[in-house]
Amino acid sequence: MDVKVSSAKKIRGSVRTAGDKSVSHRYAMLAGIAEGTSEFENFSSSADCASTLGCMEALGARVRRNGNHVEVDGVGGTLQAPARELDCGNSGSTMRMLSGVLAAQPFTSVMIGDASLSKRPMRRVIDPLEKMGARIESHDGCAPLTIHGAKLKGMVYEPPVASAQVKSCVLLAGLFADGETSVIEPVRTRDHTELAVKAFGGEVLREGNRVSVRGGQKLRAVKAYVPGDLSSVTFFLCAAALFPGSNLVVDSVLLNPTRSVVLDVLTAMGVKISFISVEEQFGELVGTLKAEGDVFKGGVIRGAESAALIDELPAIAAVAPYSAGGVEIRDAAELRVKESDRISAVVRNLRAMGAEVEELPDGMRIPGGQKLHGARIESFADHRIAMAFAVAALRAEGETTITGAEAIAVSFPEFFEALGKIVE
Ligand code: S3P
């Protein structure tokens, strides 16, 4: 699908998005293993979370869905052996996190994914799960994964990569393992699994960067509202950054501190962000914020900040040429193993729009003060690349065509509709 985007003058209005993808995945998985019926309002409308629900259903949970309202009858412990392969679609979160649960089940299951997911690295979850006692067959470290479940032993694991998916995989396995399982993170990553396990009545201990769970805990169903997806909202915040005088209100959005680093970074780059309200729901911070565009300064993103911003970097990079001082992104080599090689995809698309950009092994250097022109943009079948360049197109001269724009359904099917409402 091709979508054409013309230049705009300003961003103005208010948005509320469907529930956060990361939180929805975890709620769906935990609801599937918990006892009782969980109910979620504002559940993510993403194809990725639909993949997770589909897998949980194939594993014996009963799922009823009416738009963003989702009900899950949990199995209350052990899942059922699936009659078919578990299709994770494009979703790395589904495959990596669910592999932790499957490793502890008394059956063998096979997880498959689309062409992009079948190329993504899975050794990062295979290694710890095999240390805990499971046996996993893969295609040279990639999907399909055949998981031979086993009685797992708790362990202390120090992942070599900063990854919330790996941490979550090990902690979910730990919920079924003998004794205690701990993960010591190299850098603190999003903590939705920890908060969600607690919301479902489980115990999680955190001491510094060490998180621990005990095996054999009973989880109870919850009724919860899923806060709006801050990574989706980031595209609109970056759009507001492009136009001084923009004014955007974002309702009911996730403000978890392990995710909201993007707000600090955009503030340092010149966007004026203020909070209208903040509250806690099921351990997650959620609130309403206002973003006003001013001089977009640019800056340097590196170290732990890059890890915390990994999903938001494509959007920031795509608008970087319009900043006054340019943007440098370092320590973000993980971008190369996302749904596409996001460093190469951003660099190619920026160049297609006439921008100067230096590609680095772990990031990119994008000078500021540039003028871009409309172009034919490739999504590389990657939702965040398609959306990032739809935003970059708003300040380009002439029209931009986003090809392969259907990829946005992976995380944010309503993106173009929502953008249309706030663009002037
Ligand atoms: C996610 C963690 C991140 C992120 C992904 C979602 C999660 O991946 O990029 O979109 O929900 O835990 P890594 O944990 O591999 O960095």
Side-chain angles (χ1 to χ4, degrees):
M1 178 176 90
D2 287 1
V3 174
K4 294 191 190 313
V5 184
S6 324
S7 57
K9 293 196 185 66
K10 209 169 263 181
I11 298 297
R12 193 176 281 278
S14 69
V15 281
R16 172 190 282 250
T17 70
D20 186 71
K21 185 157 83 71
S22 290
V23 173
S24 297
H25 278 303
R26 288 151 171 92
Y27 282 0
M29 288 180 201
L30 293 176
I33 55 182
E35 198 165 299
T37 299
S38 292
E39 279 185 45
F40 305 112
E41 295 298 340
N42 204 42
F43 190 85
S44 169
S45 45
S46 66
D48 271 8
C49 291
S51 296
T52 293
L53 286 175
C55 291
M56 295 316 294
E57 210 166 14
L59 290 162
R62 297 194 56 183
V63 177
R64 292 172 296 281
R65 176 162 203 171
N66 183 0
N68 298 98
H69 180 91
V70 170
E71 293 182 11
V72 180
D73 298 335
V75 297
T78 307
L79 293 163
Q80 286 169 20
R84 51 180 197 277
E85 291 168 331
L86 298 165
D87 189 354
C88 303
N90 189 246
S91 176
S93 299
T94 308
M95 188 169 281
R96 296 204 180 111
M97 294 197 286
L98 198 53
S99 62
V101 176
L102 295 175
Q105 305 302 313
F107 52 75
T108 292
S109 47
V110 180
M111 301 178 99
I112 57 169
D114 69 5
S116 150
L117 183 54
S118 304
K119 283 192 242 144
R120 296 182 63 188
M122 292 298 149
R123 285 223 200 276
R124 53 182 67 189
V125 292
I126 296 173
D127 288 348
L129 293 175
E130 291 204 320
K131 285 200 174 98
M132 292 176 84
R135 193 164 64 78
I136 301 180
E137 293 166 63
S138 69
H139 191 83
D140 213 8
C142 293
L145 300 184
T146 302
I147 304 192
H148 302 284
K151 188 80 204 107
L152 303 181
K153 299 179 297 289
M155 68 161 174
V156 178
Y157 189 62
E158 291 193 48
V161 279
S163 164
Q165 294 175 350
V166 173
K167 169 180 66 177
S168 302
C169 163
V170 175
L171 292 178
L172 289 171
L175 288 176
F176 295 89
D178 279 341
E180 191 177 75
T181 298
S182 302
V183 178
I184 302 174
E185 298 192 85
V187 166
R188 188 148 182 198
T189 63
R190 63 190 75 190
D191 62 356
H192 306 302
T193 301
E194 297 89 307
L195 297 177
V197 169
K198 286 190 195 165
F200 279 78
E203 268 178 34
V204 180
L205 195 72
R206 175 173 279 281
E207 300 151 295
N209 273 11
R210 179 185 177 123
V211 198
S212 311
V213 293
R214 241 183 327 102
Q217 303 189 47
K218 278 263 169 281
L219 300 182
R220 288 186 313 272
V222 298
K223 287 187 176 39
Y225 178 89
V226 187
D229 194 316
L230 183 56
S231 301
S232 296
V233 163
T234 294
F235 296 102
F236 303 141
L237 298 177
C238 287
L242 293 179
F243 304 101
S246 286
N247 188 318
L248 179 69
V249 173
V250 185
D251 258 349
S252 295
V253 66
L254 180 82
L255 295 174
N256 178 317
T258 62
R259 291 286 294 288
S260 61
V261 178
V262 63
L263 301 178
D264 304 331
V265 167
L266 289 177
T267 300
M269 290 188 172
V271 185
K272 289 189 192 153
I273 296 178
S274 49
F275 297 94
I276 295 169
S277 66
V278 180
E279 61 177 305
E280 193 187 317
Q281 292 174 7
F282 297 92
E284 292 286 5
L285 284 187
V286 44
T288 295
L289 61 86
K290 185 161 85 172
E292 292 166 282
D294 202 342
V295 176
F296 181 36
K297 295 189 281 220
V300 178
I301 302 171
R302 63 187 330 148
E305 213 163 59
S306 294
L309 277 184
I310 202 76
D311 290 342
E312 290 78 32
L313 291 175
I316 296 173
V319 296
Y322 304 113
S323 67
V327 172
E328 184 176 329
I329 297 171
R330 304 304 304 265
D331 305 312
E334 271 291 301
L335 283 177
R336 294 200 182 272
V337 289
K338 292 293 178 186
E339 287 81 329
S340 69
D341 175 341
R342 286 182 172 161
I343 294 178
S344 142
V346 166
V347 167
R348 282 173 68 170
N349 283 332
L350 280 178
R351 287 186 180 145
M353 295 179 82
E356 190 189 313
V357 44
E358 187 185 343
E359 179 168 356
L360 306 168
D362 65 341
M364 54 202 115
R365 210 172 275 132
I366 307 161
Q370 305 193 56
K371 280 197 169 46
L372 272 53
H373 55 73
R376 248 183 111 71
I377 291 302
E378 242 190 89
S379 72
F380 296 93
D382 183 332
H383 54 126
R384 297 205 199 277
I385 297 299
M387 293 187 279
F389 282 89
V391 171
L394 298 174
R395 249 193 81 174
E397 199 164 305
E399 198 175 65
T400 296
T401 303
I402 313 287
T403 68
E406 65 280 357
I408 61 162
V410 160
S411 63
F412 192 9
E414 309 85 0
F415 170 75
F416 283 110
E417 195 189 323
L419 183 65
K421 287 189 185 145
I422 57 168
V423 159
E424 282 186 359

